[in-house]
Amino acid sequence: MDRIEEFETALTIESATVDHIQVGDARRLTGPGLLWDRPGAVMDVFFTEIDATQVTALWENHARRVLDALSWQDQDLTHRIFTGGVNLAISAPMDQLYSSIFAAQTAWHFCAADLLASEPGDFDQMVADVKGVMEKEANPALIALIAAAQARGVDILCDDDDVSIGHGTGSQTWPVDALPASDEVDWSALHDIPVAFITGTNGKTTTTRLLEAIARASGKVAGLTSTEFVRVGDDILDRGDYSGPGGGRMLLRDKRLEVACLEVARGGILRRGLPTRAATAAAVTNVANDHLGQYGVNTVPELAQAKFAVHRTLAEGGVLALNADDPYVRTEAEKTSANIWWFSLDAQNGLIRQARDAGKCCAYVRHDDIVFFDGAAEQVVIAVSDVPLTMGGAAKYNILNALAALCLALALDLPVQAVRDGLAGFKPDAKDNPGRCNEFEYNGARVFVDFAHNPHSISAVCDALSSLPAKRRFIMLSHAGDRSDQDIRDVTATALNFQPDVVVATELEGYLRGRELGEISDLIERTASEHGYGTEQVLRAASPTQAASMILELLEPGDIALLLVLSDRDAVLAMFDG
């Protein structure tokens, strides 16, 4: 934002010189996230040999002083302590989010001065500098429009360029610097639509796609955001990782849209927050060890806290669909008062029985059928074997994804018949669910292509395929270089549960991330050796396409191959065209 860059130098904090302290970049929070549901700014402070309560006490003092000096007495502040540091946040009006960054940095400057026992800068001058930014950033028309939308119970979405009121077919968008007065808006034409957020360590993409398929089967114009693209109907609006709030706003502003299915990942939640507080439903598919160590999320329980931010998006009466078979989900659920609909592979799961006894909605598997309990009676929705994604019931993780999609669909008030049609018509192929256990026939062998990359997802895929009869088994393995040695060993050991006769370790030259070529393949080979594999059983390839070609050349009728593809995905899938 060019108009305030001139202030950055004046407000640069000098806390980098504090022993044992490292300060991350301050960033805007545009919606509900890990800490709370307020817009504002957050900064991450990492330290050792300092009492975290000392830091947070200083923050409470100096941040409050800064907020009061800015006449933000109605704004609040918070913090979160994690192993090795704290997140520090302040709230701010929606037209002052860049200013809130500078306000947070100013407050930290005085915290750092106290920790250093050094002379701080001039408080009045620094506050005056922030006020200068506030004056340039102020947008009274935006604040008035937000108040008007809230008074009418309709959602409003804001970013640097545009402001929109309502969702999809009930939306209208204006440039942020050309906003109408409240009495110039045709409020009768504006409304929200059914919106669902889907998150989790694994399964969120598939669940999002399943829910969209169900909405389509109901005759609605459905759309989704994902790590791959934003799509409305058959029209892809843009390709890329759109699992953050930007993708959500892009989708919700499309005037064709009637039902929104938003995949949300950890990164978007932690960096900016979620795009709305008007969702109809949200789901957490599971929580497992993946991408830890960023933004103060260092453990799996802390990751669960981040994933559960989706409950803050729910409108009054909204539904939170949760996996009753996941221990981290169960534990974190105890901290929310949301309207929970549990789902499980086991009709006798304790939480399912509790829900039924309490007359609460839930979904589960009984006698190989997917069943929904509506609070009064149960209904068989579809046989597990009639859901192609479950591979006849072998892919238990996809049964859970189907249960999650079922709960979300019914929470969105989609008809049960549409759920049946959507689940039955959704195929595990490169068209409906690209990269998720797509099956191909090659020279009489069965070949499965999957993008699984962490122990949890790889274990699920290997468990499903291990039950299939095979003359010989082949697997292609690779890992990104930013994983630790132990992570690579763990993922490799998990993949060996597939009991492959041949392992092909491939390089990912574009994902070395500080490692040398051959280093990861060495780790794969050593791990395989420790599990009893001979050198003749572990082959090496320079790229995923070469590794896939090597395996395809070896395949004979009756064999099974699992290609875990982390890069060159389109090139590998193209090998099966025609």
Side-chain angles (χ1 to χ4, degrees):
M1 193 172 183
D2 293 338
R3 60 185 178 178
I4 61 173
E5 285 180 354
E6 62 191 278
F7 294 93
E8 292 184 352
T9 301
L11 293 174
T12 298
I13 58 175
E14 299 176 0
S15 55
T17 59
V18 181
D19 289 342
H20 312 299
I21 289 187
Q22 184 177 15
V23 181
D25 291 336
R27 59 191 183 277
R28 293 174 296 159
L29 293 177
T30 57
L34 171 61
L35 298 179
W36 55 6
D37 63 354
R38 308 283 298 273
V42 62
M43 57 194 310
D44 311 316
V45 183
F46 308 95
F47 49 78
T48 59
E49 302 179 22
I50 297 176
D51 183 358
T53 59
Q54 178 187 7
V55 177
T56 57
L58 290 171
W59 177 253
E60 296 284 340
N61 178 37
H62 292 298
R64 184 75 266 165
R65 183 183 176 208
V66 169
L67 290 176
D68 290 346
L70 297 174
S71 298
W72 284 358
Q73 285 87 357
D74 59 338
Q75 298 304 320
D76 209 347
L77 54 100
T78 191
H79 66 265
R80 168 182 167 268
I81 297 174
F82 54 85
T83 302
V86 292
N87 306 122
L88 305 172
I90 62 171
S91 68
M94 276 299 295
D95 69 334
Q96 301 278 264
L97 298 190
Y98 283 98
S99 300
S100 70
I101 291 177
F102 297 141
Q105 289 176 321
T106 299
W108 176 251
H109 170 89
F110 290 95
C111 293
D114 280 354
L115 291 170
L116 277 170
S118 65
E119 188 68 24
D122 184 284
F123 181 84
D124 291 338
Q125 182 59 55
M126 295 183 77
V127 167
D129 288 342
V130 178
K131 286 183 176 179
V133 180
M134 291 169 57
E135 183 178 350
K136 291 178 178 293
E137 192 181 9
N139 190 338
L142 173 61
I143 298 303
L145 209 56
I146 290 173
Q150 290 175 340
R152 291 167 173 80
V154 62
D155 196 23
I156 184 166
L157 306 176
C158 313
D159 57 40
D160 290 346
D161 300 315
D162 299 300
V163 175
S164 58
I165 300 176
H167 305 151
T169 56
S171 69
Q172 187 170 353
T173 304
W174 300 268
V176 72
D177 56 358
L179 298 177
S182 174
D183 58 5
E184 297 173 337
V185 176
D186 181 7
W187 294 100
S188 65
L190 304 179
H191 59 81
D192 298 341
I193 64 171
V195 175
F197 285 101
I198 301 96
T199 194
T201 301
N202 299 302
K204 54 185 177 292
T205 299
T206 295
T207 302
T208 302
R209 292 170 175 171
L210 273 174
L211 179 60
E212 188 212 25
I214 292 168
R216 284 183 182 228
S218 75
K220 299 288 187 181
V221 177
L224 61 80
T225 64
S226 69
T227 55
E228 298 178 19
F229 51 69
V230 179
R231 184 176 70 199
V232 175
D234 293 323
D235 183 13
I236 293 178
L237 306 186
D238 201 5
R239 293 186 181 275
D241 186 348
Y242 280 106
S243 58
R249 288 189 292 266
M250 182 189 301
L251 178 67
L252 292 170
R253 287 170 174 164
D254 191 295
K255 292 181 71 65
R256 298 167 293 178
L257 186 71
E258 295 177 305
V259 178
C261 313
L262 289 84
E263 175 185 347
V264 289
R266 167 204 53 83
I269 292 171
L270 296 174
R271 279 193 298 271
R272 289 283 182 264
L274 296 155
T276 178
R277 299 170 185 80
T280 314
V284 181
T285 58
N286 50 64
V287 182
N289 184 348
D290 193 33
H291 295 301
L292 299 178
Q294 295 179 315
Y295 304 112
V297 175
N298 303 318
T299 67
V300 179
E302 288 174 337
L303 182 60
Q305 294 173 17
K307 299 292 186 182
F308 264 70
V310 293
H311 87 270
R312 297 192 173 100
T313 69
L314 295 172
E316 186 175 353
V319 169
L320 182 61
L322 297 179
N323 181 355
D325 297 340
D326 187 290
Y328 295 107
V329 171
R330 292 196 302 266
T331 298
E332 192 62 28
E334 297 174 1
K335 304 172 188 176
T336 176
S337 58
N339 176 23
I340 296 174
W341 289 10
W342 291 105
F343 58 90
S344 170
L345 294 174
D346 182 8
Q348 297 306 311
N349 179 289
L351 290 169
I352 296 295
R353 287 189 282 109
Q354 289 176 25
R356 287 171 52 85
D357 291 344
K360 295 183 177 180
C361 297
C362 54
Y364 44 89
V365 176
R366 172 177 285 158
H367 305 312
D368 298 321
D369 289 325
I370 289 176
V371 177
F372 183 75
F373 179 75
D374 65 5
E378 66 177 21
Q379 179 179 13
V380 174
V381 176
I382 190 171
V384 170
S385 59
D386 289 336
V387 181
L389 212 60
T390 70
M391 297 172 60
K396 296 189 183 303
Y397 62 98
N398 272 335
I399 302 176
L400 283 166
N401 293 335
L403 288 164
L406 160 66
C407 288
L408 291 170
L410 297 184
L412 297 183
D413 204 27
L414 298 174
V416 172
Q417 188 58 49
V419 176
R420 293 192 183 100
D421 294 343
L423 293 180
F426 192 86
K427 302 296 192 296
D429 57 26
K431 176 179 178 294
D432 286 349
N433 203 25
R436 271 68 183 179
C437 216
N438 302 150
E439 181 177 358
F440 303 90
E441 189 276 335
Y442 192 92
N443 194 32
R446 301 176 72 178
V447 182
F448 295 87
V449 179
D450 200 284
F451 298 168
H453 63 281
N454 57 52
H456 187 273
S457 58
I458 290 175
S459 176
V461 172
C462 289
D463 285 348
L465 300 185
S466 294
S467 63
L468 302 180
K471 177 181 169 185
R472 296 179 302 165
R473 296 176 183 271
F474 298 80
I475 193 167
M476 181 177 85
L477 279 179
S478 58
H479 305 291
D482 56 356
R483 302 276 178 171
S484 70
D485 285 4
Q486 188 58 50
D487 284 345
I488 294 170
R489 285 191 287 266
D490 289 344
V491 173
T492 301
T494 299
L496 295 178
N497 292 333
F498 179 59
Q499 298 181 327
D501 297 282
V502 176
V503 176
V504 180
T506 179
E507 301 290 349
L508 298 178
E509 194 164 353
Y511 293 84
L512 291 174
R513 295 169 182 170
R515 291 185 181 266
E516 298 294 328
L517 276 172
E519 190 176 339
I520 293 173
S521 293
D522 287 344
L523 284 167
I524 293 172
E525 186 170 359
R526 284 200 296 270
T527 303
S529 176
E530 291 165 2
H531 285 74
Y533 282 76
T535 55
E536 74 283 356
Q537 292 179 277
V538 183
L539 310 178
R540 294 197 182 209
S543 69
T545 50
Q546 185 187 59
S549 295
M550 290 169 61
I551 289 175
L552 295 182
E553 289 176 5
L554 294 170
L555 289 179
E556 298 175 357
D559 291 340
I560 285 181
L562 172 57
L563 309 182
L564 296 174
V565 184
L566 302 187
S567 70
D568 297 353
R569 299 172 181 178
D570 292 342
V572 171
L573 291 174
M575 294 180 179
F576 302 97
D577 287 347

